[in-house]
Each structure stands twice: as C-alpha cells, then as structure tokens.
Amino acid sequence: MNEFLNGMLQAINLILTLNPELVEITTRTLFISLSATFIAALIAIPLGGLINFKKFKGKRSLINLIQTLYSLPTVLVGLFVFLLLSQQGVFGDLNLLFTPTGMIIGQTLLILPILIGFTITALKTVGKDLTDLSISLGASEFQTIYTIMREAKYAIMAAVILGFGRAISEVGVAIMIGGNIRGATRVITTTISLETSKGNLELSIALGIILLGIALIINLMLNQIQEN
Amino acid sequence: MNNKIIAAILIIIIALIGVGAYAMNGGFQEKQILRVSTTTSLEDTGLVDNLETAFEKEHPNIDVQFVSAGTGIALKYAEKGDADMVIVHDKKKEQQFIDDGYGTKRYPFAYNYFYIVGPTSDPAKIKGMKNATEAFKKIMEAGEANSSVKFVSRGDNSGTNSRELKIWNNTKANYNSSINGSSWYIETGKGMGDTLVIANEKSAYTLSDSGTYLAFKGNITLVPYLTSGKDLLNVYSAIPVNPEKIKGVNYNASMEFVDFLLSTEGQQLIGNYGKEKYGQALFIPLYGKGEPT
C-alpha cells in the first residue's frame, strides 16, 4: 500500500511539473488516436448512411457481421496489419511498420466497425417517421438523407466518442505495429505496460491517471450529448 | 452550420493530421533511422536507452529506434526486413541467422551470467550447488515430490528461454513428457522483468539474466543461488542485417553503431552501467578480448 501511495505522490509530481517524457507520450497518444478516430469517422458515417438507406441483398447479414466485429480483438487487428505492413507484406514498400502512421491505420481499422454499426443504429432510430414526413413534404432523396443525418447527429457523435475511447485505451495494435519505440511510437498504454515490467511505477501511475482523466472527459462529453 | 465552413474545417483537420504524421515519422528532420531489434533483458535493464542517448549525441544524423522482443522474435523481425540490426544473446540462433545469410557478422561486446534464482526458503535445497544441470535436476525432483516447489519459465522463445531448455536437455529428462505441462512448471510467455515478478509472487525458481535480476532486486525477494559457470555464461552480440540479402536495410548506420559499441567509450558506458542505480555493474564489457567460453 505504501508503494502505491508513494507512486501516486510521485506521479502527481510528474504531472504537475509537466515531465517532458510524460507530455511527449500524452501528445503522441492523443495525436494518433484522434487521427484514427477522425479518419474512421470520415469513412464510417457515409458508409453507415449508405448501408442504412440502400436496400440490397444480404443487408441484414452485413449488419450482423459489422456488429460481430465490435468485439474485434485488438491483437488480431495488430497481427493483420503487421503482416500487411511488414517489409515482406503487401504494403512493405511504404515503410509503415513501427511508425505512428502505421498505428493510425491499425486503430482506424479497429474502430471502424463500431462507428459504422452505431451510425446505422442512430439513423434507424430517427429513420421511419422522419423519412415519411420529409417525403410527404416533397423532399428529394438527397434532402431526406440530409435531414435524417442532421437529426441523428448527436447519436453519431456519441458513436465517434466511443470509438475514440476504444482507440486510446487499446494495447494490441499499439505494441504490435508501433513496437513501443522510445521517442517514436511509445504511447500511454504501451508505456504503462513497459514501465511496470521495469518496476518504474511512478510513470505508470501518472500515465494511468492521465488515461483515466481522458476517459472522464469522454464520459462527460457523452453525457452532455445525450442530454441534448 | 454552413456547409462551406464544415468543409473548410474538415480540410484543415486533414492537413493537420497529414503534417503531424509526417513530422512524427521523422519527415522534417534530415535523419536516417537505425532500427535495432533487441531482447527484453536489455530494454528492461535500461541499458539501451543510455546507449541510444550517447550514440545519438555523436551521430546527430541518425535516429536509433529500439524495438524489444525475445531473441527469437527479434531475429524474426530482422529476417522479415523490419530491422537494420539485432542485439541478442543466443549463440546458436545467431549462428543460424548468419548461416542463413540474414546477418553479416557477429560482434560480441559484453557478457554476464544467467542466475538461477529462487525463494529464500529454498525448498528444493539447491543452495551451494555449482552445476546448473544438477540444480535443475534437483528442482525437477523436488517439484514432483513437493507441491510448494515451482519453476517459472519464460516460454517465449527468447535467449533466456532457449538457455533454460538447453539446461533441461542436459539433465537427460524428456522435456516434452516430464517437464513441460507438469504442475510444478509454469510458462509465462512474457519478458524477463514480468517473469521475475511472477516467480516472486509464486515463490518459484526461475532462470534470469543477471542484468535484469540485479535491476529488479529491489522489488523482489528472490535470491540468486547459482551465478556462474560455463552453462550460465551469457554473451550479448550485435549483428548487422546483410544488405545483400535484404534490400533497403541501413547497413552503414548499423556499422556506425557496432563501432560505437566496441569503442572504448561505448565499452566503458556498458561497464559502468548500473553502478550508480543498482550498486553494481550489470554487464561486463569485452574490451576487444575474445568472448569467454
């Protein structure tokens, strides 16, 4: 218990004095996970809309598949992207293994299913009545989709925030694709894992506090959005 | 919100991500990257961080990046072309790596010993023994007879793990039938630091490189019982990846790093590492002498 309290105090000290390593790792983590979330949202929202509004064969199976992938194991994505990006992989020539860009690609793939799935659900819940209403008011197909998208925007934003939460807290992709290289690809979760193996509990605890802080902010934002 | 404003914001964010990714991947620095895959024991002791800092001070145009994994995986990374050099400790696998054409030459630069460590109560009574094989045999016999005797294995194909298997092999016991899967034999599949912590929690014996053990001594209660001898010798060497076999590896930077490791300055840094923090040196530099046998 003493060890924990001691670590806690030193951790708070590290945060208050803005320890350079701590700041560097936190900035990198935020950059990678925010980028991944943004790119995933750019792909997922239109794609989710498309799947929701179009009628086609196998639609239900496709949605089932997407929902199954919500619990896609991070290490599986890590392994898959590792094989693609390795020098012997299909995209080996791009030299993206063990780089932040590689990690962004991995995290994007990881959270895409959640974003697409939740976008579909969000659109479905506002869907029917509003569709009928806007068509009866003489709206074109495009205008109808636009109206529904606008109406569902809070639910979609909630989905995006959830995706970000999954991206920033995962370890599998970060360690397998990033390689946990000091000064290059080390992020909060991989540092906690490494520093704990090295017995440096202070930095681990400090980063843990920051990660929890980010989670708290995410949660507050989610609440705010849901109240709207 | 106006559609044009939204579009403008999107473009700005995309541009920021692009610039950020470019900068984080080292795009703005005119630096070449030297990627070294190394073992967890070197990372967990903190030695590689020191080597990196000292080397980059002398070679500001080279950015050294260490990826740490067990020796087996570290060599795999290099074979796949994802590393420019390896720093590992498993002579047999290293020789194979070179024979297969992946590595150019083996440069041994430091050594220490594997320690057989265990709980202070020493339930298998290996205290005072000198021969690693005999000690392992005793742990095995005690483990079969007494449920409080346990042995923790890395089980991760690392250099330490292959040494452990070699010693089991020397005992003439059949590893697959009488050791692996036994109730007294626990595989962690993790790095050396984690494995020591687990062995400590379970009051078990384990084989550890001395560097990691000494770096962790303050956090655990395990004590070393066997600390030297031919069976326990642990030599670290650097091997640049062969540019003729694997296209695009940074051979020149690898050789710069090898020169640095073998220089008096590099050797002194290795020989002094740990004295301040742990009260004793963790590695013994070779200073140009042949590797001990």
Side-chain angles (χ1 to χ4, degrees):
Chain A
M1 201 58 210
N2 224 342
E3 195 181 22
F4 182 73
L5 275 181
N6 208 358
M8 202 74 173
L9 285 177
Q10 292 191 40
I12 291 168
N13 187 30
L14 283 180
I15 296 174
L16 292 181
T17 55
L18 292 177
N19 175 279
E21 199 178 354
L22 195 72
V23 173
E24 182 205 312
I25 291 169
T26 309
T27 319
R28 181 180 303 121
T29 308
L30 283 173
F31 170 75
I32 289 173
S33 295
L34 281 174
S35 305
T37 311
F38 180 75
I39 295 167
L42 271 191
I43 302 170
I45 296 171
L47 200 61
L50 201 68
I51 295 172
N52 184 55
F53 293 120
K54 290 274 179 225
K55 287 202 176 72
F56 56 91
K57 232 183 175 177
K59 179 171 170 174
R60 183 174 286 269
S61 317
L62 180 65
I63 294 177
N64 275 339
L65 177 71
I66 292 169
Q67 287 174 343
T68 308
L69 293 180
Y70 286 1
S71 45
L72 190 63
T74 58
V75 284
L76 207 61
V77 178
L79 176 65
F80 176 67
V81 179
F82 175 85
L83 290 175
L84 287 181
L85 297 185
S86 167
Q87 287 297 329
Q88 290 184 348
V90 186
F91 301 111
D93 292 340
L94 300 176
N95 288 321
L96 288 176
L97 189 64
F98 303 135
T99 65
T101 311
M103 295 165 81
I104 294 174
I105 294 171
Q107 291 192 350
T108 304
L109 288 178
L110 178 71
I111 63 173
L112 261 179
I114 291 194
L115 260 65
I116 298 175
F118 279 48
T119 303
I120 296 173
T121 316
L123 293 175
K124 220 185 248 165
T125 43
V126 289
K128 271 226 158 66
D129 297 345
L130 200 64
T131 318
D132 294 345
L133 183 68
S134 63
I135 289 171
S136 70
L137 289 174
S140 70
E141 192 184 10
F142 178 76
Q143 283 169 324
T144 311
I145 292 174
Y146 181 72
T147 319
I148 293 174
M149 283 283 209
R150 269 185 75 107
E151 200 59 30
K153 70 180 171 210
Y154 291 119
I156 292 174
M157 267 160 78
V160 171
I161 291 174
L162 259 171
F164 174 68
R166 180 153 155 90
I168 200 167
S169 59
E170 69 84 31
V171 200
V173 169
I175 205 131
M176 292 171 85
I177 304 180
N180 197 21
I181 298 169
R182 187 172 73 131
T185 58
R186 203 162 274 186
V187 290
I188 294 183
T189 49
T190 57
T191 314
I192 292 180
S193 162
L194 174 77
E195 294 298 323
T196 310
S197 333
K198 281 162 76 173
N200 285 345
L201 296 178
E202 304 84 39
L203 190 60
S204 288
I205 295 174
L207 287 165
I209 293 174
I210 291 177
L211 203 54
L212 267 180
I214 294 171
L216 180 72
I217 295 170
I218 291 174
N219 208 355
L220 289 177
M221 278 161 66
L222 257 181
N223 278 334
Q224 196 69 35
I225 288 170
Q226 269 156 5
E227 270 167 28
N228 274 313
Chain B
M1 230 189 298
N2 191 316
N3 281 350
K4 274 183 190 157
I5 298 178
I6 297 179
I9 292 176
L10 285 183
I11 289 170
I12 291 171
I13 297 179
I14 292 172
L16 279 179
I17 292 178
V19 172
Y22 188 66
M24 285 212 178
N25 288 338
F28 289 123
Q29 316 155 349
E30 296 198 359
K31 273 190 181 182
Q32 37 175 324
I33 291 175
L34 170 63
R35 196 168 284 139
V36 186
S37 65
T38 183
T39 71
T40 57
S41 47
L42 292 180
E43 171 104 57
D44 284 355
T45 54
L47 175 68
V48 290
D49 288 353
N50 276 32
L51 289 175
E52 181 185 338
T53 313
F55 178 78
E56 285 176 354
K57 204 178 273 172
E58 282 179 24
H59 299 85
N61 60 329
I62 300 177
D63 179 15
V64 185
Q65 301 193 343
F66 282 103
V67 184
S68 80
T71 293
I73 302 168
L75 291 172
K76 265 276 153 359
Y77 281 151
E79 285 172 16
K80 288 170 81 76
D82 296 321
D84 303 307
M85 180 166 75
V86 294
I87 298 182
V88 291
H89 61 146
D90 187 338
K91 198 171 175 181
K92 205 171 150 199
K93 281 190 188 136
E94 289 163 26
Q95 202 51 56
Q96 189 64 44
F97 183 72
I98 292 170
D99 291 345
D100 290 344
Y102 293 111
T104 54
K105 187 169 181 256
R106 194 168 159 266
Y107 296 94
F109 61 91
Y111 70 99
N112 56 23
Y113 287 92
F114 288 108
Y115 284 3
I116 300 179
V117 302
T120 45
S121 61
D122 192 19
K125 305 213 167 30
I126 61 166
K127 192 175 179 180
M129 296 184 79
K130 291 277 173 269
N131 184 307
T133 309
E134 295 300 316
F136 265 40
K137 214 182 244 172
K138 211 154 179 203
I139 293 172
M140 175 172 70
E141 284 160 8
E144 277 159 5
N146 178 348
S147 65
S148 68
V149 177
K150 302 253 184 269
F151 185 93
V152 175
S153 163
R154 290 274 294 274
D156 64 349
N157 207 9
S158 61
T160 310
N161 187 218
S162 56
R163 179 62 60 93
E164 181 212 322
L165 297 186
K166 194 174 161 201
I167 300 175
W168 285 124
N169 204 27
N170 290 345
T171 65
K172 303 275 184 287
N174 185 325
Y175 178 77
N176 286 323
S177 61
S178 54
I179 296 164
N180 197 9
S182 304
S183 61
W184 55 273
Y185 188 77
I186 303 161
E187 280 190 336
T188 63
K190 296 186 129 180
M192 196 66 250
D194 284 331
T195 301
L196 276 171
V197 172
I198 292 168
N200 190 52
E201 294 291 327
K202 296 199 173 285
S203 293
Y205 294 91
T206 190
L207 183 73
S208 170
D209 65 288
S210 56
T212 313
Y213 171 75
L214 293 170
F216 270 71
K217 206 166 67 173
N219 300 335
I220 56 180
T221 59
L222 300 175
V223 291
Y225 289 109
L226 280 83
T227 58
S228 60
K230 194 172 169 246
D231 280 351
L232 297 177
L233 181 69
N234 181 26
V235 179
Y236 289 92
S237 50
I239 308 174
V241 175
N242 187 354
E244 283 164 23
K245 174 95 175 176
I246 289 169
K247 293 275 165 294
V249 296
N250 196 344
Y251 179 71
N252 291 336
S254 292
M255 283 316 291
E256 296 269 8
F257 198 85
V258 168
D259 288 343
F260 168 76
L261 272 180
L262 300 178
S263 70
T264 314
E265 188 205 346
Q267 293 278 296
Q268 270 169 355
L269 195 151
I270 294 166
N272 288 326
Y273 182 72
K275 280 186 181 159
E276 213 169 284
K277 198 169 172 193
Y278 308 113
Q280 94 185 75
L282 304 187
F283 301 93
I284 306 160
L286 288 170
Y287 285 118
K289 290 185 301 246
E291 69 186 288
T293 46

